[in-house]
């Protein structure tokens, strides 16, 4: 079991498979990209599967989310999913992706054992997408979403970040479109994930702003805390149902008290929080010949020291220096 001093138990593992990405989203990284991790620094496929095995069989992990960077850029992704699906007990598996490569991989991922996907899409307008991501790939994301639904990677969830002056007027349109296609839409408050440290709390589109905008067109009924559980998204029933929309208010309504996550970075570090400033090295233990029992002990110790909150609700919060693309969302 992965328990901390506040009584929280981690059952959800986020695994970053690569720090690389084929988009350059303005709120994530500079246009020229970042200095990527060298191949020897990255965990191998075997190392990733072994660590997930330890987490599932010895530490109580029930759900695994593959992230990046962009996880579809990992050459061995399908094989990793297939091997994790063979573990006993079998964890639930999902993938967070920008969707660009999903059209060609959705069916193989489903066959390998992936359960569902989260796809990032911030706008319905191709010109705005190009401005936000610095790439002209809007059509590929839409095709990837359709392929995921056809393959049965359900529910297909869409994550959207609203940026002032760019797409902050699109909330109602995005929801109407998601309902039309039977996707589950979740808005995420913009967080300090940018390596260039350009994020500013002032002027950000808040959860309150998003809900106000949605209510200009839809009737929203709060789903309630019992339904939410440890999920990061607060959800609202739209126009009486069956559709729902979620809002992840990491900045203005932190949900740290219910957090059940632990994170494995692309280079084998344990992070107790997305915004933690400290990491615990599992790669060194792994490559030094440590048995599974020792790896589990190190992991438990790391999680025992998890802090009460992320610090995002503190106006003086400083963004961590570690590029978020290596950590995973």
């Amino acid at each position: 079991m992965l328990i901390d001093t506040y009584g929280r138990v981690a059952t959800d593992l986020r695994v970053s498979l690569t720090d690389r990405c084929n988009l350059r989203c303005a709120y994530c990284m500079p246009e020229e990209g970042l200095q990527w991790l060298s191949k020897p620094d990255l965990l191998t496929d075997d190392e990733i599967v072994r660590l997930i095995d330890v987490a599932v069989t010895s530490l109580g992990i029930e759900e695994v989310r593959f992230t990046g960077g962009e996880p579809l850029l990992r050459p061995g992704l399908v094989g990793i999913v297939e091997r994790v699906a063979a573990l006993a007990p079998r964890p639930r598996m999902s993938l967070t992706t920008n969707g660009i490569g999903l059209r060609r991989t959705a069916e193989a991922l489903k066959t390998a054992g992936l359960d569902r996907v989260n796809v990032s899409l911030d706008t319905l307008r191709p010109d705005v997408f190009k401005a936000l991501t610095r790439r002209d790939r809007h059509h590929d994301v839409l095709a990837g979403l359709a392929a995921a639904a056809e393959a049965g990677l359900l529910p297909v969830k869409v994550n959207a970040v609203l940026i002032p002056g760019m797409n902050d007027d699109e909330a109602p349109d995005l929801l109407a479109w998601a309902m039309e296609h039977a996707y589950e839409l979740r808005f995420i408050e913009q967080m300090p994930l940018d390596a260039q440290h350009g994020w500013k709390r002032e002027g950000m589109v808040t959860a309150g702003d998003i809900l106000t905008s949605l209510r200009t067109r839809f009737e929203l009924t709060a789903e309630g805390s019992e339904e939410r559980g440890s999920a990061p998204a607060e959800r609202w029933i739209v126009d009486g149902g069956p559709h729902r929309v979620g809002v992840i208010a990491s900045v203005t309504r932190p949900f740290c008290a219910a957090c059940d996550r632990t994170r494995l970075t692309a280079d084998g570090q344990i992070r107790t929080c997305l915004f933690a400033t400290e990491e615990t090295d599992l790669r060194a233990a792994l490559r030094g010949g440590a048995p599974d029992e020792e790896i589990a002990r190190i992991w438990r110790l790391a999680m025992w020291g998890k802090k009460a909150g992320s610090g995002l609700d503190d106006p003086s919060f400083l963004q961590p220096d570690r590029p978020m693309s290596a950590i995973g969302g």
Side-chain angles (χ1 to χ4, degrees), residues 41 76 130 236 241 250 301:
D41 290 334
K130 186 175 181 180
W236 280 262
S250 301
L301 188 60

Side-chain angles (χ1 to χ4, degrees), residues 297-323:
R297 185 193 70 81
I298 296 170
W299 206 328
R300 288 191 191 97
L301 188 60
M303 292 304 294
W304 183 250
K306 184 172 181 173
K307 295 181 179 179
S310 65
L312 279 175
D313 53 345
D314 181 351
S316 64
F317 176 82
L318 296 176
Q319 303 96 308
D321 291 327
R322 181 113 151 92

Side-chain angles (χ1 to χ4, degrees), residues 4 8-11 228-232 254-261 306 308:
D4 64 31
R8 296 169 297 192
V9 177
T11 57
R228 180 182 183 183
S230 61
F255 40 85
C256 302
C259 181
D260 65 350
R261 289 159 194 78
K306 184 172 181 173

Side-chain angles (χ1 to χ4, degrees), residues 24-270:
R24 296 292 182 269
C25 295
Y27 54 79
C28 185
M29 70 172 71
E31 186 170 4
E32 63 274 13
L34 300 166
Q35 183 168 348
W36 309 122
L37 293 167
S38 63
K39 189 172 182 179
D41 290 334
L42 292 169
L43 293 175
T44 66
D45 292 0
D46 288 343
E47 289 171 336
I48 289 170
V49 173
R50 183 182 169 195
L51 289 176
I52 295 174
D53 189 359
V54 170
V56 169
T57 60
S58 301
L59 298 173
I61 291 298
E62 300 172 355
E63 182 165 354
V64 176
R65 171 84 60 87
F66 297 108
T67 69
E70 172 46 52
L72 294 182
L73 296 179
R74 177 88 186 198
L77 172 61
V78 172
I80 291 171
V81 170
E82 187 172 35
R83 293 169 65 183
V84 173
L87 297 178
R90 180 199 186 280
R92 298 185 298 275
M93 286 185 291
S94 56
L95 178 84
T96 295
T97 172
N98 61 30
I100 288 176
L102 204 48
R103 176 171 51 182
R104 65 177 183 274
T105 55
E107 189 63 43
L109 287 168
K110 178 63 177 180
T111 300
L114 192 70
D115 295 304
R116 63 173 190 81
V117 293
N118 286 36
V119 179
S120 298
L121 181 64
D122 302 324
T123 178
L124 298 176
R125 305 193 293 252
D127 58 324
V128 175
F129 181 92
K130 186 175 181 180
L132 276 170
T133 68
R134 306 182 179 107
R135 298 291 187 271
D136 188 12
R137 305 297 297 272
H138 189 259
H139 57 290
D140 291 316
V141 180
L142 296 181
L145 281 161
E150 185 175 351
L153 292 169
L154 304 172
V156 175
K157 296 185 178 181
V158 176
N159 295 339
V161 176
L162 299 182
I163 307 297
M166 298 196 76
N167 64 338
D168 53 336
D169 61 337
E170 285 197 68
D173 291 339
L174 280 163
L175 180 52
W177 166 82
M179 291 167 60
E180 178 185 350
H181 293 277
Y183 302 145
E184 185 174 322
L185 179 63
R186 307 192 311 173
F187 291 99
I188 303 176
E189 284 184 337
Q190 185 189 1
M191 295 178 284
L193 303 180
D194 56 322
Q196 63 270 36
H197 298 340
W199 178 85
K200 289 182 175 58
R201 182 182 299 269
E202 301 79 14
M204 63 170 284
V205 181
T206 68
D209 298 330
I210 294 165
L211 293 170
T212 296
S213 179
L214 292 175
R215 286 183 170 121
T216 63
R217 196 182 305 180
F218 303 98
E219 179 184 341
L220 303 181
T221 305
E223 191 175 55
S225 57
E226 289 185 6
E227 290 288 338
R228 180 182 183 183
S230 61
E234 295 180 75
R235 298 203 308 175
W236 280 262
I237 300 167
V238 183
D239 290 344
H243 299 289
R244 285 163 171 74
V245 62
V247 179
I248 299 178
S250 301
V251 178
T252 61
R253 304 178 189 176
F255 40 85
C256 302
C259 181
D260 65 350
R261 289 159 194 78
T262 182
R263 299 175 183 276
L264 178 64
T265 69
D267 54 352
Q269 311 300 305
I270 288 300

